[in-house]
Amino acid sequence: PNNGSRNPNNRSAAMQPQASTRGDMLRTRAQEKSVRENNISAAKAVADAVRTSLGPKGMDKMIAGKSGSVMITNDGATILQQMEVAHPAAKMLVDLAKSQDTEAGDGTTSVTGLCGAL
């Protein structure tokens, strides 16, 4: 009887792509890790931008507009609204702050800081 599964010289088609599949899998894992790290750093950057304005000793932020106008504020919602955010994970934090402002009317800086810490 032909016992192909026991013969080491008889490789089935399912067994041949394992090396390239493993290599692809390692590359995919490395890319996923890179994407995760990029998302984390973008979220931290947004949180860091507003974190220092939190609390009674919070610092004011000077925001320069495109037209050259200057705004000074320590309101987290205003800071996030004026930021031009391109990264999807960072945009999620801005949207989260907008939702917090809509629902509760306050706490945008706290929510953004908390998410950045996570």
Side-chain angles (χ1 to χ4, degrees), residues 39 42-47 80 87-99 108 111-113 115-116:
N39 288 342
K44 281 185 178 181
V46 171
L80 291 171
H87 194 279
K91 280 185 182 180
M92 286 180 64
L93 259 70
V94 173
D95 291 341
L96 175 69
K98 285 179 185 176
S99 297
T108 55
V111 167
T112 307
C115 288

Side-chain angles (χ1 to χ4, degrees), residues 43-104:
K44 281 185 178 181
V46 171
D48 288 343
V50 294
R51 183 177 294 133
T52 56
S53 68
L54 183 63
K57 294 187 179 184
M59 297 170 48
D60 290 344
K61 303 291 182 186
M62 183 183 299
I63 303 169
K66 288 181 181 178
S67 63
S69 62
V70 176
M71 180 189 317
I72 298 175
T73 183
N74 67 353
D75 180 36
T78 304
I79 295 167
L80 291 171
Q81 184 180 19
Q82 297 297 318
M83 289 176 67
E84 294 178 10
V85 180
H87 194 279
K91 280 185 182 180
M92 286 180 64
L93 259 70
V94 173
D95 291 341
L96 175 69
K98 285 179 185 176
S99 297
Q100 176 68 20
D101 192 37
T102 301
E103 291 297 322

